Amino acid sequence: MSKLLLLLPFALVACSNERELAPAGELTTWKDDVAPLVAQQCASCHGGADPAAGYDLTTYLGALGKGDDDVANAIAGDASSKLLAKLDGDELDDLHAGFSGAVPVLRAWIIDSKLAYERTRVHDPTLLDPASARFHGADLQAAKWNFGVCQNCHGEDFSGGAAQRSCLGCHAKGPTACDTCHEAAPTTNAHPAHLARAGLQCSDCHVVPETWDAPGHILNDGVVDDAPAEVTLGALANRDVSPPRRTGPATYANGTCTNVYCHGALLGDPAAAMTSPAWTSGATAAACGACHGKPPANHIVKNECTACHPTTVTPQMTLTAAHIDGAIQVGDGGASCSSCHGDATSAAPPRGLHGETVTTQLAVGAHRAHLDGTSRLRGPIACNECHVVPATVDAGGHIDSELPAEVFPIGSGTLARADGATPSWDRMSATCSGSYCHGGGAKLQLDTTPGVRTPSWTAGSQVFCGSCHGVPPTTSPHTPAMTLGQCTTCHPSVDGFGNIILDGTPDAPTSLHLNGAVDVR
């Protein structure tokens, strides 16, 4: 049964058409005969919040409607109607055998009286049957939606008027409310999918009238504007991208959207599966991969959307309200490196690309220890000493390759490779080895006494005086009797107490220590 028909407003034929009431007993009606009968015999099972088989017999429209099997139970003039079959037909079972006494009344109502609602001098008895040609909504449509005819009897506000019969029992907001003719949130085809998306409004696809009789809604200059509703695509569908690609407006024709931003037409991604969806395409039209590839054709990273688009998609691959909002958000939407990793004080984690915040996680580890120079053995070590730092977010080698980030790639800095060192990173063990900064290189390799030349990335501080070379080193001209206080005799990077001398400004300290060369006075 059409929900549209169920919700159509009351209409009255003019009172001059008042007719004689059918003699008592000539017409079997819901109101006088059927409702009292089913209330007594059927409502205990087929009533309440959870009626048996989903079939509610406590209301007129419920009796005409469908149960869980989606089959209409009462059809005017149809002797095979399910309501009769269950009590006196092929579908009769032991559960219903005791209710055969109701059959004569129900048969007279369904077959002879065509589901009459009540005996009335004004309306046809079938005024509430949506399938009837004299359904009150059909009468109103034939009258070109002249609600004044209804108001003559039912009052200006439809609350009763001279007829003392209110229309508000079925139409709580009044017959002219939006949800009288169509649901406030329509459930047909792709309506639910669109309205379920946060921020999307009816006005994004339709001109929403201020009143029911606004021009272009139901009437145009007094002429009925027949269904279907006009689709007028709004700002979101007509958005462009940067640089611009739009060559024409977004359109809807023959049940299909074309050139719409919201379905990826402007993204120009050849990997997209459905950028011009039909209104009846179902869930496939909005599936991940329909508007852009999964991943997009110009992306290599797979199933890691949240690493670059955390405001758009969660780690569980659930879309957020920021998805399809007219902007492509990378990271937190800012234009800096810390949009995706790091924070307002530094681009280095924490935070990692998946929200990591603790140093025992690979994405965090000793990043800040290097960037902030917390060991005080030299000034901060820049990002480009271990990674290639992109000039822009979309620069080659940045987000166009699989995670994790490359460590010591060609093009990264020279410090780790100083003095012929060959640094390497082992992700499985989370250790760094062979780097100049941790005792690698031709000269330092001759020293046999250092403490930690293969430090763990996630084990906390493993850098101290003696971790990269011995104290003193075993190489000549050092001798075993030398103390830290004597280092300054030959090395200007150390003071008389063996402390590393840091120069420069407080926010950018520098040092001759660990600078890629052995400085000797």
PDB file of all heavy atoms in Angstrom, residues 289-324:
ATOM      1  N   GLY A 289      34.420   3.642  -3.031  1.00  0.00           N
ATOM      2  CA  GLY A 289      34.935   3.219  -4.325  1.00  0.00           C
ATOM      3  C   GLY A 289      34.040   3.652  -5.467  1.00  0.00           C
ATOM      4  O   GLY A 289      34.427   3.545  -6.631  1.00  0.00           O
ATOM      5  N   ALA A 290      32.833   4.142  -5.142  1.00  0.00           N
ATOM      6  CA  ALA A 290      31.915   4.584  -6.187  1.00  0.00           C
ATOM      7  C   ALA A 290      32.273   5.967  -6.713  1.00  0.00           C
ATOM      8  O   ALA A 290      32.256   6.210  -7.915  1.00  0.00           O
ATOM      9  CB  ALA A 290      30.478   4.590  -5.650  1.00  0.00           C
ATOM     10  N   CYS A 291      32.614   6.892  -5.809  1.00  0.00           N
ATOM     11  CA  CYS A 291      32.897   8.277  -6.200  1.00  0.00           C
ATOM     12  C   CYS A 291      34.368   8.503  -6.511  1.00  0.00           C
ATOM     13  O   CYS A 291      34.731   9.360  -7.318  1.00  0.00           O
ATOM     14  CB  CYS A 291      32.458   9.231  -5.096  1.00  0.00           C
ATOM     15  SG  CYS A 291      30.738   9.000  -4.595  1.00  0.00           S
ATOM     16  N   HIS A 292      35.223   7.772  -5.831  1.00  0.00           N
ATOM     17  CA  HIS A 292      36.658   7.755  -6.125  1.00  0.00           C
ATOM     18  C   HIS A 292      37.134   6.340  -5.874  1.00  0.00           C
ATOM     19  O   HIS A 292      36.459   5.560  -5.180  1.00  0.00           O
ATOM     20  CB  HIS A 292      37.426   8.750  -5.251  1.00  0.00           C
ATOM     21  CG  HIS A 292      37.206   8.586  -3.783  1.00  0.00           C
ATOM     22  ND1 HIS A 292      37.692   7.509  -3.055  1.00  0.00           N
ATOM     23  CD2 HIS A 292      36.513   9.337  -2.902  1.00  0.00           C
ATOM     24  CE1 HIS A 292      37.327   7.626  -1.789  1.00  0.00           C
ATOM     25  NE2 HIS A 292      36.598   8.723  -1.656  1.00  0.00           N
ATOM     26  N   GLY A 293      38.252   5.981  -6.461  1.00  0.00           N
ATOM     27  CA  GLY A 293      38.748   4.627  -6.292  1.00  0.00           C
ATOM     28  C   GLY A 293      39.053   4.290  -4.853  1.00  0.00           C
ATOM     29  O   GLY A 293      39.091   5.154  -3.985  1.00  0.00           O
ATOM     30  N   LYS A 294      39.252   3.049  -4.589  1.00  0.00           N
ATOM     31  CA  LYS A 294      39.568   2.589  -3.237  1.00  0.00           C
ATOM     32  C   LYS A 294      40.887   1.809  -3.295  1.00  0.00           C
ATOM     33  O   LYS A 294      40.888   0.581  -3.336  1.00  0.00           O
ATOM     34  CB  LYS A 294      38.433   1.697  -2.740  1.00  0.00           C
ATOM     35  CG  LYS A 294      38.565   1.250  -1.292  1.00  0.00           C
ATOM     36  CD  LYS A 294      37.412   0.321  -0.921  1.00  0.00           C
ATOM     37  CE  LYS A 294      37.556  -0.183   0.512  1.00  0.00           C
ATOM     38  NZ  LYS A 294      36.481  -1.118   0.882  1.00  0.00           N
ATOM     39  N   PRO A 295      42.035   2.518  -3.308  1.00  0.00           N
ATOM     40  CA  PRO A 295      42.176   3.979  -3.170  1.00  0.00           C
ATOM     41  C   PRO A 295      42.007   4.690  -4.511  1.00  0.00           C
ATOM     42  O   PRO A 295      41.919   4.029  -5.545  1.00  0.00           O
ATOM     43  CB  PRO A 295      43.631   4.110  -2.685  1.00  0.00           C
ATOM     44  CG  PRO A 295      44.320   3.007  -3.411  1.00  0.00           C
ATOM     45  CD  PRO A 295      43.344   1.851  -3.407  1.00  0.00           C
ATOM     46  N   PRO A 296      41.985   6.044  -4.507  1.00  0.00           N
ATOM     47  CA  PRO A 296      41.946   6.774  -5.762  1.00  0.00           C
ATOM     48  C   PRO A 296      43.118   6.385  -6.658  1.00  0.00           C
ATOM     49  O   PRO A 296      44.149   5.918  -6.182  1.00  0.00           O
ATOM     50  CB  PRO A 296      42.057   8.241  -5.323  1.00  0.00           C
ATOM     51  CG  PRO A 296      41.489   8.242  -3.942  1.00  0.00           C
ATOM     52  CD  PRO A 296      41.920   6.941  -3.337  1.00  0.00           C
ATOM     53  N   ALA A 297      42.940   6.585  -7.958  1.00  0.00           N
ATOM     54  CA  ALA A 297      43.950   6.149  -8.924  1.00  0.00           C
ATOM     55  C   ALA A 297      45.311   6.794  -8.690  1.00  0.00           C
ATOM     56  O   ALA A 297      46.350   6.202  -8.990  1.00  0.00           O
ATOM     57  CB  ALA A 297      43.466   6.444 -10.341  1.00  0.00           C
ATOM     58  N   ASN A 298      45.322   8.014  -8.130  1.00  0.00           N
ATOM     59  CA  ASN A 298      46.603   8.694  -7.910  1.00  0.00           C
ATOM     60  C   ASN A 298      47.160   8.444  -6.515  1.00  0.00           C
ATOM     61  O   ASN A 298      48.080   9.107  -6.072  1.00  0.00           O
ATOM     62  CB  ASN A 298      46.471  10.203  -8.152  1.00  0.00           C
ATOM     63  CG  ASN A 298      45.489  10.856  -7.195  1.00  0.00           C
ATOM     64  OD1 ASN A 298      44.736  10.178  -6.510  1.00  0.00           O
ATOM     65  ND2 ASN A 298      45.485  12.178  -7.172  1.00  0.00           N
ATOM     66  N   HIS A 299      46.578   7.470  -5.792  1.00  0.00           N
ATOM     67  CA  HIS A 299      47.073   7.073  -4.481  1.00  0.00           C
ATOM     68  C   HIS A 299      47.639   5.655  -4.563  1.00  0.00           C
ATOM     69  O   HIS A 299      47.104   4.810  -5.285  1.00  0.00           O
ATOM     70  CB  HIS A 299      45.945   7.059  -3.433  1.00  0.00           C
ATOM     71  CG  HIS A 299      45.457   8.417  -3.042  1.00  0.00           C
ATOM     72  ND1 HIS A 299      45.104   9.378  -3.947  1.00  0.00           N
ATOM     73  CD2 HIS A 299      45.243   8.973  -1.813  1.00  0.00           C
ATOM     74  CE1 HIS A 299      44.692  10.466  -3.304  1.00  0.00           C
ATOM     75  NE2 HIS A 299      44.762  10.245  -2.018  1.00  0.00           N
ATOM     76  N   ILE A 300      48.667   5.399  -3.826  1.00  0.00           N
ATOM     77  CA  ILE A 300      49.207   4.049  -3.732  1.00  0.00           C
ATOM     78  C   ILE A 300      48.795   3.418  -2.414  1.00  0.00           C
ATOM     79  O   ILE A 300      48.542   2.231  -2.320  1.00  0.00           O
ATOM     80  CB  ILE A 300      50.743   4.051  -3.863  1.00  0.00           C
ATOM     81  CG1 ILE A 300      51.132   4.493  -5.281  1.00  0.00           C
ATOM     82  CG2 ILE A 300      51.325   2.687  -3.562  1.00  0.00           C
ATOM     83  CD1 ILE A 300      52.621   4.590  -5.505  1.00  0.00           C
ATOM     84  N   VAL A 301      48.694   4.246  -1.378  1.00  0.00           N
ATOM     85  CA  VAL A 301      48.352   3.749  -0.047  1.00  0.00           C
ATOM     86  C   VAL A 301      46.963   3.135  -0.059  1.00  0.00           C
ATOM     87  O   VAL A 301      46.003   3.744  -0.511  1.00  0.00           O
ATOM     88  CB  VAL A 301      48.411   4.886   0.994  1.00  0.00           C
ATOM     89  CG1 VAL A 301      48.035   4.361   2.362  1.00  0.00           C
ATOM     90  CG2 VAL A 301      49.811   5.482   1.018  1.00  0.00           C
ATOM     91  N   LYS A 302      46.822   1.911   0.428  1.00  0.00           N
ATOM     92  CA  LYS A 302      45.551   1.203   0.452  1.00  0.00           C
ATOM     93  C   LYS A 302      45.090   1.008   1.899  1.00  0.00           C
ATOM     94  O   LYS A 302      45.885   0.709   2.769  1.00  0.00           O
ATOM     95  CB  LYS A 302      45.685  -0.162  -0.221  1.00  0.00           C
ATOM     96  CG  LYS A 302      46.063  -0.080  -1.699  1.00  0.00           C
ATOM     97  CD  LYS A 302      46.265  -1.475  -2.273  1.00  0.00           C
ATOM     98  CE  LYS A 302      46.561  -1.420  -3.770  1.00  0.00           C
ATOM     99  NZ  LYS A 302      47.827  -0.748  -4.060  1.00  0.00           N
ATOM    100  N   ASN A 303      43.769   1.166   2.090  1.00  0.00           N
ATOM    101  CA  ASN A 303      43.165   0.906   3.400  1.00  0.00           C
ATOM    102  C   ASN A 303      43.811   1.706   4.526  1.00  0.00           C
ATOM    103  O   ASN A 303      43.871   1.252   5.657  1.00  0.00           O
ATOM    104  CB  ASN A 303      43.216  -0.597   3.717  1.00  0.00           C
ATOM    105  CG  ASN A 303      42.467  -1.419   2.688  1.00  0.00           C
ATOM    106  OD1 ASN A 303      41.416  -1.004   2.221  1.00  0.00           O
ATOM    107  ND2 ASN A 303      43.027  -2.552   2.327  1.00  0.00           N
ATOM    108  N   GLU A 304      44.334   2.868   4.197  1.00  0.00           N
ATOM    109  CA  GLU A 304      44.934   3.723   5.219  1.00  0.00           C
ATOM    110  C   GLU A 304      44.350   5.129   5.102  1.00  0.00           C
ATOM    111  O   GLU A 304      45.041   6.109   5.310  1.00  0.00           O
ATOM    112  CB  GLU A 304      46.457   3.772   5.044  1.00  0.00           C
ATOM    113  CG  GLU A 304      47.179   2.527   5.524  1.00  0.00           C
ATOM    114  CD  GLU A 304      47.252   2.455   7.045  1.00  0.00           C
ATOM    115  OE1 GLU A 304      46.770   3.377   7.720  1.00  0.00           O
ATOM    116  OE2 GLU A 304      47.794   1.448   7.548  1.00  0.00           O
ATOM    117  N   CYS A 305      43.074   5.224   4.735  1.00  0.00           N
ATOM    118  CA  CYS A 305      42.444   6.529   4.535  1.00  0.00           C
ATOM    119  C   CYS A 305      42.626   7.432   5.748  1.00  0.00           C
ATOM    120  O   CYS A 305      42.885   8.629   5.625  1.00  0.00           O
ATOM    121  CB  CYS A 305      40.959   6.362   4.243  1.00  0.00           C
ATOM    122  SG  CYS A 305      40.586   5.252   2.882  1.00  0.00           S
ATOM    123  N   THR A 306      42.464   6.842   6.929  1.00  0.00           N
ATOM    124  CA  THR A 306      42.483   7.646   8.150  1.00  0.00           C
ATOM    125  C   THR A 306      43.849   8.261   8.433  1.00  0.00           C
ATOM    126  O   THR A 306      43.952   9.242   9.165  1.00  0.00           O
ATOM    127  CB  THR A 306      42.040   6.791   9.356  1.00  0.00           C
ATOM    128  OG1 THR A 306      41.886   7.630  10.492  1.00  0.00           O
ATOM    129  CG2 THR A 306      43.067   5.708   9.672  1.00  0.00           C
ATOM    130  N   ALA A 307      44.930   7.707   7.833  1.00  0.00           N
ATOM    131  CA  ALA A 307      46.261   8.263   8.066  1.00  0.00           C
ATOM    132  C   ALA A 307      46.365   9.681   7.527  1.00  0.00           C
ATOM    133  O   ALA A 307      47.014  10.542   8.130  1.00  0.00           O
ATOM    134  CB  ALA A 307      47.321   7.374   7.418  1.00  0.00           C
ATOM    135  N   CYS A 308      45.732   9.945   6.386  1.00  0.00           N
ATOM    136  CA  CYS A 308      45.786  11.285   5.789  1.00  0.00           C
ATOM    137  C   CYS A 308      44.483  12.067   5.958  1.00  0.00           C
ATOM    138  O   CYS A 308      44.485  13.288   5.859  1.00  0.00           O
ATOM    139  CB  CYS A 308      46.109  11.178   4.293  1.00  0.00           C
ATOM    140  SG  CYS A 308      47.740  10.511   3.932  1.00  0.00           S
ATOM    141  N   HIS A 309      43.378  11.343   6.196  1.00  0.00           N
ATOM    142  CA  HIS A 309      42.075  12.005   6.280  1.00  0.00           C
ATOM    143  C   HIS A 309      41.370  11.651   7.585  1.00  0.00           C
ATOM    144  O   HIS A 309      40.243  11.123   7.580  1.00  0.00           O
ATOM    145  CB  HIS A 309      41.211  11.594   5.084  1.00  0.00           C
ATOM    146  CG  HIS A 309      41.859  11.831   3.760  1.00  0.00           C
ATOM    147  ND1 HIS A 309      42.051  13.080   3.238  1.00  0.00           N
ATOM    148  CD2 HIS A 309      42.391  10.950   2.858  1.00  0.00           C
ATOM    149  CE1 HIS A 309      42.654  12.979   2.054  1.00  0.00           C
ATOM    150  NE2 HIS A 309      42.879  11.700   1.812  1.00  0.00           N
ATOM    151  N   PRO A 310      41.966  11.939   8.733  1.00  0.00           N
ATOM    152  CA  PRO A 310      41.364  11.528  10.013  1.00  0.00           C
ATOM    153  C   PRO A 310      40.075  12.251  10.346  1.00  0.00           C
ATOM    154  O   PRO A 310      39.286  11.751  11.156  1.00  0.00           O
ATOM    155  CB  PRO A 310      42.464  11.852  11.034  1.00  0.00           C
ATOM    156  CG  PRO A 310      43.258  12.952  10.401  1.00  0.00           C
ATOM    157  CD  PRO A 310      43.258  12.635   8.932  1.00  0.00           C
ATOM    158  N   THR A 311      39.831  13.423   9.766  1.00  0.00           N
ATOM    159  CA  THR A 311      38.572  14.120  10.047  1.00  0.00           C
ATOM    160  C   THR A 311      37.455  13.627   9.142  1.00  0.00           C
ATOM    161  O   THR A 311      36.290  13.960   9.346  1.00  0.00           O
ATOM    162  CB  THR A 311      38.730  15.641   9.870  1.00  0.00           C
ATOM    163  OG1 THR A 311      39.071  15.931   8.512  1.00  0.00           O
ATOM    164  CG2 THR A 311      39.807  16.189  10.780  1.00  0.00           C
ATOM    165  N   THR A 312      37.794  12.828   8.140  1.00  0.00           N
ATOM    166  CA  THR A 312      36.822  12.344   7.171  1.00  0.00           C
ATOM    167  C   THR A 312      36.418  10.904   7.424  1.00  0.00           C
ATOM    168  O   THR A 312      35.265  10.525   7.228  1.00  0.00           O
ATOM    169  CB  THR A 312      37.396  12.463   5.744  1.00  0.00           C
ATOM    170  OG1 THR A 312      37.696  13.832   5.490  1.00  0.00           O
ATOM    171  CG2 THR A 312      36.418  11.973   4.699  1.00  0.00           C
ATOM    172  N   VAL A 313      37.375  10.095   7.880  1.00  0.00           N
ATOM    173  CA  VAL A 313      37.097   8.676   8.082  1.00  0.00           C
ATOM    174  C   VAL A 313      37.821   8.198   9.338  1.00  0.00           C
ATOM    175  O   VAL A 313      38.940   8.616   9.619  1.00  0.00           O
ATOM    176  CB  VAL A 313      37.519   7.851   6.849  1.00  0.00           C
ATOM    177  CG1 VAL A 313      38.993   7.988   6.576  1.00  0.00           C
ATOM    178  CG2 VAL A 313      37.138   6.389   6.992  1.00  0.00           C
ATOM    179  N   THR A 314      37.162   7.342  10.099  1.00  0.00           N
ATOM    180  CA  THR A 314      37.742   6.832  11.338  1.00  0.00           C
ATOM    181  C   THR A 314      38.627   5.624  11.038  1.00  0.00           C
ATOM    182  O   THR A 314      38.555   5.049   9.948  1.00  0.00           O
ATOM    183  CB  THR A 314      36.633   6.402  12.312  1.00  0.00           C
ATOM    184  OG1 THR A 314      35.986   5.234  11.780  1.00  0.00           O
ATOM    185  CG2 THR A 314      35.616   7.518  12.496  1.00  0.00           C
ATOM    186  N   PRO A 315      39.436   5.197  12.013  1.00  0.00           N
ATOM    187  CA  PRO A 315      40.238   3.985  11.802  1.00  0.00           C
ATOM    188  C   PRO A 315      39.394   2.759  11.486  1.00  0.00           C
ATOM    189  O   PRO A 315      39.880   1.805  10.885  1.00  0.00           O
ATOM    190  CB  PRO A 315      40.972   3.821  13.140  1.00  0.00           C
ATOM    191  CG  PRO A 315      41.072   5.211  13.679  1.00  0.00           C
ATOM    192  CD  PRO A 315      39.788   5.869  13.274  1.00  0.00           C
ATOM    193  N   GLN A 316      38.118   2.776  11.872  1.00  0.00           N
ATOM    194  CA  GLN A 316      37.208   1.663  11.576  1.00  0.00           C
ATOM    195  C   GLN A 316      36.558   1.816  10.203  1.00  0.00           C
ATOM    196  O   GLN A 316      35.655   1.065   9.841  1.00  0.00           O
ATOM    197  CB  GLN A 316      36.115   1.571  12.640  1.00  0.00           C
ATOM    198  CG  GLN A 316      36.609   1.162  14.024  1.00  0.00           C
ATOM    199  CD  GLN A 316      37.338   2.306  14.732  1.00  0.00           C
ATOM    200  OE1 GLN A 316      36.942   3.469  14.602  1.00  0.00           O
ATOM    201  NE2 GLN A 316      38.384   1.988  15.477  1.00  0.00           N
ATOM    202  N   MET A 317      37.038   2.808   9.426  1.00  0.00           N
ATOM    203  CA  MET A 317      36.544   3.077   8.076  1.00  0.00           C
ATOM    204  C   MET A 317      35.089   3.545   8.082  1.00  0.00           C
ATOM    205  O   MET A 317      34.329   3.309   7.144  1.00  0.00           O
ATOM    206  CB  MET A 317      36.704   1.850   7.179  1.00  0.00           C
ATOM    207  CG  MET A 317      38.148   1.428   6.970  1.00  0.00           C
ATOM    208  SD  MET A 317      39.127   2.709   6.127  1.00  0.00           S
ATOM    209  CE  MET A 317      38.485   2.602   4.466  1.00  0.00           C
ATOM    210  N   THR A 318      34.687   4.225   9.147  1.00  0.00           N
ATOM    211  CA  THR A 318      33.371   4.835   9.213  1.00  0.00           C
ATOM    212  C   THR A 318      33.479   6.294   8.802  1.00  0.00           C
ATOM    213  O   THR A 318      34.339   7.013   9.308  1.00  0.00           O
ATOM    214  CB  THR A 318      32.799   4.752  10.644  1.00  0.00           C
ATOM    215  OG1 THR A 318      32.724   3.378  11.026  1.00  0.00           O
ATOM    216  CG2 THR A 318      31.402   5.363  10.703  1.00  0.00           C
ATOM    217  N   LEU A 319      32.627   6.724   7.904  1.00  0.00           N
ATOM    218  CA  LEU A 319      32.686   8.094   7.404  1.00  0.00           C
ATOM    219  C   LEU A 319      32.118   9.064   8.440  1.00  0.00           C
ATOM    220  O   LEU A 319      31.180   8.743   9.160  1.00  0.00           O
ATOM    221  CB  LEU A 319      31.909   8.214   6.097  1.00  0.00           C
ATOM    222  CG  LEU A 319      32.384   7.313   4.959  1.00  0.00           C
ATOM    223  CD1 LEU A 319      31.508   7.510   3.729  1.00  0.00           C
ATOM    224  CD2 LEU A 319      33.843   7.591   4.612  1.00  0.00           C
ATOM    225  N   THR A 320      32.699  10.256   8.495  1.00  0.00           N
ATOM    226  CA  THR A 320      32.246  11.288   9.426  1.00  0.00           C
ATOM    227  C   THR A 320      31.476  12.361   8.674  1.00  0.00           C
ATOM    228  O   THR A 320      31.365  12.325   7.445  1.00  0.00           O
ATOM    229  CB  THR A 320      33.440  11.934  10.149  1.00  0.00           C
ATOM    230  OG1 THR A 320      34.170  12.742   9.202  1.00  0.00           O
ATOM    231  CG2 THR A 320      34.371  10.873  10.724  1.00  0.00           C
ATOM    232  N   ALA A 321      30.984  13.342   9.417  1.00  0.00           N
ATOM    233  CA  ALA A 321      30.213  14.431   8.803  1.00  0.00           C
ATOM    234  C   ALA A 321      31.064  15.270   7.868  1.00  0.00           C
ATOM    235  O   ALA A 321      30.531  15.975   7.003  1.00  0.00           O
ATOM    236  CB  ALA A 321      29.605  15.307   9.896  1.00  0.00           C
ATOM    237  N   ALA A 322      32.383  15.213   8.013  1.00  0.00           N
ATOM    238  CA  ALA A 322      33.258  16.017   7.154  1.00  0.00           C
ATOM    239  C   ALA A 322      33.411  15.410   5.758  1.00  0.00           C
ATOM    240  O   ALA A 322      33.957  16.045   4.866  1.00  0.00           O
ATOM    241  CB  ALA A 322      34.640  16.162   7.797  1.00  0.00           C
ATOM    242  N   HIS A 323      32.918  14.194   5.574  1.00  0.00           N
ATOM    243  CA  HIS A 323      33.012  13.557   4.266  1.00  0.00           C
ATOM    244  C   HIS A 323      32.019  14.200   3.300  1.00  0.00           C
ATOM    245  O   HIS A 323      30.882  14.463   3.656  1.00  0.00           O
ATOM    246  CB  HIS A 323      32.716  12.062   4.399  1.00  0.00           C
ATOM    247  CG  HIS A 323      32.986  11.275   3.166  1.00  0.00           C
ATOM    248  ND1 HIS A 323      32.007  10.629   2.463  1.00  0.00           N
ATOM    249  CD2 HIS A 323      34.141  11.031   2.501  1.00  0.00           C
ATOM    250  CE1 HIS A 323      32.536  10.018   1.428  1.00  0.00           C
ATOM    251  NE2 HIS A 323      33.831  10.247   1.426  1.00  0.00           N
ATOM    252  N   ILE A 324      32.467  14.500   2.113  1.00  0.00           N
ATOM    253  CA  ILE A 324      31.640  15.146   1.084  1.00  0.00           C
ATOM    254  C   ILE A 324      31.046  16.451   1.600  1.00  0.00           C
ATOM    255  O   ILE A 324      29.839  16.689   1.510  1.00  0.00           O
ATOM    256  CB  ILE A 324      30.508  14.243   0.565  1.00  0.00           C
ATOM    257  CG1 ILE A 324      30.976  12.811   0.371  1.00  0.00           C
ATOM    258  CG2 ILE A 324      29.988  14.744  -0.782  1.00  0.00           C
ATOM    259  CD1 ILE A 324      29.900  11.863  -0.120  1.00  0.00           C
TER     260      ILE A 324
END
